[in-house]
Amino acid sequence: MAVYTEVDDDELEAFLATYDIGELRSYKGIAEGVENSNFLLHTTAGTYLLTLYEKRVAPDDLPFFLGLMNHVASKGIACPVPIRDRKGEMLGTLAGRPAAIVSFLEGLSVRKPQPKHCAELGAGLARFHLAGADFPLRRANALTVSGWRPLFEASRARADEVSRGLAAELADQLSALETSWPHDLPQGVIHADLFPDNVFFIGEKLSGVIDFYFACNDALAYDLAICLNAWCFEHDGSFNITKARALTQAYNHVRPLDAAELAALPLLARGSAMRFLLTRLYDWLHHPPGALVKPKNPLEYLKRLRFHRSLSSPAAYGLD
C-alpha cells in the first residue's frame, strides 16, 4: 500500500477544519501511486483524495503540478481538481509533509487496453496538449535526453547482471540518441507518464487522467511516443499496430502533427523506451531490501527500444 507517512486522527481533523468540505466520516490509505502517501477521504460533502508528498517530490514543483491540474480542468479536461482551503491555498502541511486535497475522479484503469481505449486516449492527449498551451508556469523535463546519461552511468557497472551485453548496447544507443535528438519540435506541457494506470475509463469512454507528478515542458510529440510504448505493446512483447493506429490517428485528428513531428516519431519512441528502460534499470539495481514497491523489469523496454530502432517511418505507427 502506498502509505509512507501515517497520519494521526487529530492532526487530520485539524487539517480538514481549514477546508469547507464537510465533516470527516472515514478515511483509508490506498494503493494508488508509488511516490506519495494517498488517502481516500469520505466527508459529509463527498469523496476526496488526500496526498502527502514524500521526499522524492520536490516541494518547489508542487505549484506547477497543482496549478496545471486546475488550469486544464478549467478547459474541460477531466482530472482531479485541487481543493482550496479557506485561505484560497491549494497546498498545506500535514504530518510534516506538503499536502493537498483533490476531487475524486470516477472510473477504472484498464489492464488490457483495446483499440477503442487507445483512440480515446489519443484524442484525450491531444485535448490535454491544447488545453495546456497557455499555462503560464514552466517546469523542465529532468528525464529528457540530457538526464539519461547520469542514470546510465549510475547503473553501467552492474547492467550486465540484468542481461549480458546490456551495458554496451545501452552505451551505443544512448550515444546515438544524444547525437540525433530533435530540439526544434513544437513544445508545450506534457503529462510524461500517461500509462494505463493513470487513465480512467467508464466503459470504453475516457473519464479522466491522474498523476501529474512527472508533467513538464517538452516536445508534445514525445508525449505521444510515451503512449505508444505504454499502450501498444502486448504482454508477449509484440507491437500491436491496430492499437497504434487508433492512438495516433485519433491524436492527429484533434491536434494535427506537423511534418517534423511525424518524421521524428520513431526517434522519439526510441527515446521514450530508453527513458523508461533506464529508470527501471536504476530501480532494479538499487532496490532497497524490504521496500514496499516491487521494481519493474527493465528488459521489457529493451525489446521496445530494439523495435523502434528498426523503424524509419511513422507509417509503422499508423500515420502517413
Side-chain angles (χ1 to χ4, degrees):
M1 180 173 290
V3 174
Y4 306 105
T5 299
E6 296 293 340
V7 177
D8 178 81
D9 291 355
D10 292 337
E11 279 187 295
L12 178 58
E13 289 190 1
F15 181 74
L16 294 182
T18 65
Y19 290 81
D20 290 316
I21 59 172
E23 296 180 2
L24 181 66
R25 287 182 170 174
S26 65
Y27 72 99
K28 63 178 181 179
I30 58 175
E32 282 79 1
V34 298
E35 297 284 335
N36 305 306
S37 296
N38 294 294
F39 300 85
L40 191 65
L41 304 178
H42 295 284
T43 77
T44 53
T47 302
Y48 304 89
L49 182 69
L50 165 67
T51 298
L52 274 62
Y53 299 99
E54 302 295 345
K55 295 179 180 179
R56 291 184 68 176
V57 177
D60 289 346
D61 286 335
L62 290 173
F64 178 93
F65 300 142
L66 296 173
L68 176 61
M69 294 160 67
N70 191 63
H71 180 84
V72 298
S74 73
K75 298 293 187 73
I77 300 300
C79 69
V81 179
I83 306 300
R84 295 182 184 272
D85 64 18
R86 292 195 179 99
K87 295 180 180 180
E89 301 294 332
M90 292 186 288
L91 187 65
T93 302
L94 177 60
R97 297 281 189 267
I101 297 174
V102 300
S103 60
F104 181 74
L105 190 66
E106 297 284 353
L108 297 171
S109 57
V110 293
R111 292 189 177 184
K112 296 182 179 180
Q114 301 302 311
K116 288 184 178 180
H117 297 117
C118 294
E120 284 283 304
L121 171 68
L125 178 64
R127 289 193 295 268
F128 169 75
H129 287 164
L130 295 175
D134 58 347
F135 182 58
L137 302 183
R138 293 187 59 83
R139 177 177 181 268
N141 185 359
L143 292 172
T144 190
V145 61
S146 59
W148 298 340
R149 184 160 292 279
L151 275 172
F152 171 63
E153 295 300 341
S155 303
R156 182 201 285 258
R158 296 180 56 205
D160 285 6
E161 295 176 19
V162 179
S163 179
R164 182 178 297 179
L166 180 59
E169 182 172 0
L170 291 182
D172 288 344
Q173 286 304 304
L174 182 55
S175 294
L177 287 166
E178 289 171 334
T179 299
S180 56
W181 194 251
H183 295 285
D184 56 354
L185 299 177
Q187 303 281 307
V189 178
I190 68 170
H191 184 282
D193 194 36
L194 214 52
F195 279 65
D197 55 354
N198 289 332
V199 183
F200 286 178
F201 292 85
I202 297 177
E204 293 179 337
K205 295 295 183 181
L206 189 149
S207 63
V209 298
I210 64 170
D211 204 347
F212 285 69
Y213 303 114
F214 285 98
C216 56
N217 292 83
D218 207 329
L220 297 175
Y222 180 61
D223 224 6
L224 182 61
I226 290 173
C227 291
L228 282 167
N229 277 310
W231 290 74
C232 300
F233 285 86
E234 302 298 338
H235 291 300
D236 64 0
S238 63
F239 182 70
N240 190 317
I241 182 59
T242 304
K243 292 181 182 180
R245 183 180 296 111
L247 171 69
T248 57
Q249 290 188 357
Y251 181 96
N252 197 50
H253 179 74
V254 176
R255 180 191 165 267
L257 297 158
D258 68 21
E261 289 175 302
L262 286 170
L265 199 54
L267 183 60
L268 295 173
R270 282 171 60 193
S272 164
M274 176 65 81
R275 173 262 190 263
F276 288 100
L277 194 168
L278 289 174
T279 51
R280 287 186 176 196
L281 179 63
Y282 181 89
D283 289 344
W284 188 274
L285 294 174
H286 298 85
H287 185 61
L292 297 174
V293 180
K294 182 180 179 180
K296 296 177 181 178
N297 186 354
L299 297 184
E300 293 179 11
Y301 272 81
L302 179 61
K303 295 177 182 178
R304 297 173 197 191
L305 174 63
R306 290 169 175 171
F307 172 81
H308 298 301
R309 188 177 62 198
S310 70
L311 306 178
S312 59
S313 167
Y317 308 118
L319 289 168
D320 296 326

